[in-house]
Amino acid sequence: MTTQTAPEIKLTSFSHGGGCGCKIAPGVLADILRKSSGFPVPKELMVGIETSDDAAVYKLNEEQALIATTDFFMPIVDDPYDFGRIAATNAISDVYAMGGTPIMALALVGMPINQLPIDVIGKIIQGGESICAEAGIPIAGGHTIDSVEPIYGLVVMGLVHPSKVKRNADAKAGDKLILGKPLGVGILSAALKKNALDDAGYRAMIDNTTKLNKPGKALSDMRGVHALTDVTGFGLLGHLLELARGARLSARLNMSQIPLLPEVHELAGQGYVTGASGRNWAGYGQDVRLADEITATQKALLTDPQTSGGLLVSCEESVVPDVLALFQREGFGHAAVIGEMLAGPARVEVER
């Protein structure tokens, strides 16, 4: 049982889902986008919706391209300040995942005004502001509505040199895959909701989800780094599949090399998994090949929705030491090589 002091207002009690686990299931989202009508695409639009990338990129001139992204969700934790921090970190991550530098944000705020005290709403916004300050950007405006469930997030703008944009579709056969943060946020959040997460587990969860993916900017400058994305609501398998489909390659993961947050393997084995994990598998499991030795618990970890998850890097083997050294310098001590890209059909194979 958790030993944390329960807040007077339990934010998670207002929402049907939390964090990136709120995402529409990948299979349903694919059907929605498939049925949407086409529209003219200007030549300046370098990255749109075609490969399910992390953000849109629009070329402004020969030296600058604008990155635009948005992300918002319902509470994943009950502490309002932590909720704001997590949501802001998650939204800004998409700019880093394109290899860019964030320049400003707009706040998206939907709150049940008659049910949440003003000071609680204020702490959510203050939490987001603290992360934007850490990223060196202002919140320059935004929009608020009276909502049935608490919703908070950001629109984030960034800049990148057009030649240094890191798409999720440019991996090459022979590339090594590096993951910047450990998995297990969804597992910890499921345990938190059932009062089964201790203080150490909660702190590990907050530390992981409020750590800005700043190495993305330096990765854009590295020759040999071909593709970049971040792992969020669709889990490691889902976001790696997007990378594989975009590059028309296969990906191979080594389960034993994938970093995990403390206690998540044991908690997953005890049944503390989110509903999003099962929806994720239903949406893309047909394109995943699991070795016979992969357990149901490991499968749950691979599909676990990550709120504000780590960067996933596809790079030449020769620059692996440089990429790992960068992560280490920036405080990402769990960063590890977890697999590789191979010639073959667009799918993911998982070995023990």
Side-chain angles (χ1 to χ4, degrees), residues 55 66-71 88 90-95 101-106 132 137 153-158:
L66 177 69
I67 302 171
T69 184
T70 185
D71 216 317
N90 181 72
I92 297 170
S93 178
D94 286 339
V95 171
T101 300
I103 57 172
M104 74 172 184
L106 306 174
C132 287
I137 63 173
L154 301 174
V155 173
V156 188
M157 304 293 184

Side-chain angles (χ1 to χ4, degrees), residues 80-291:
Y81 190 77
D82 283 344
F83 170 42
R85 293 171 67 215
I86 293 167
T89 306
N90 181 72
I92 297 170
S93 178
D94 286 339
V95 171
Y96 293 128
M98 302 305 300
T101 300
I103 57 172
M104 74 172 184
L106 306 174
L108 301 174
V109 184
M111 296 290 156
I113 298 299
N114 293 330
Q115 296 176 277
L116 281 183
I118 296 300
D119 66 321
V120 170
I121 298 172
K123 288 177 182 176
I124 294 171
I125 294 171
Q126 290 166 15
E129 289 173 343
S130 73
I131 291 297
C132 287
E134 186 179 337
I137 63 173
I139 296 182
H143 186 63
T144 60
I145 62 169
D146 188 355
S147 173
V148 176
E149 299 180 271
I151 298 170
Y152 179 72
L154 301 174
V155 173
V156 188
M157 304 293 184
L159 292 174
V160 65
H161 193 285
S163 68
K164 295 182 179 181
V165 175
K166 294 303 178 184
R167 299 174 178 85
N168 70 348
D170 293 336
K172 300 183 184 301
D175 277 0
K176 296 298 182 181
L177 294 167
I178 296 174
L179 181 62
K181 288 184 182 181
L183 301 182
V185 173
I187 304 297
L188 295 182
S189 69
L192 177 66
K193 282 187 176 182
K194 296 182 179 180
N195 293 319
L197 188 64
D198 60 22
D199 285 345
Y202 182 79
R203 182 44 48 197
M205 177 181 170
I206 298 301
D207 288 347
N208 201 65
T209 54
T210 59
K211 191 167 188 59
L212 288 163
N213 280 320
K214 290 183 177 181
K217 172 61 176 69
L219 288 167
S220 74
D221 294 325
M222 281 191 183
R223 296 176 66 92
V225 172
H226 298 140
L228 193 59
T229 189
D230 60 353
V231 178
T232 55
F234 298 154
L236 176 59
L237 287 180
H239 292 283
L240 180 53
L241 264 173
E242 290 176 342
L243 193 150
R245 289 166 178 163
R248 299 181 182 179
L249 295 171
S250 290
R252 179 185 296 154
L253 290 177
N254 187 318
M255 188 70 214
S256 64
Q257 294 176 344
I258 297 173
L260 303 175
L261 286 164
E263 301 181 31
V264 296
H265 191 277
E266 293 76 11
L267 288 168
Q270 295 167 23
Y272 293 106
V273 297
T274 68
S277 182
R279 293 193 296 273
N280 281 343
W281 181 257
Y284 54 63
Q286 71 278 3
D287 292 326
V288 179
R289 303 290 181 270
L290 299 177

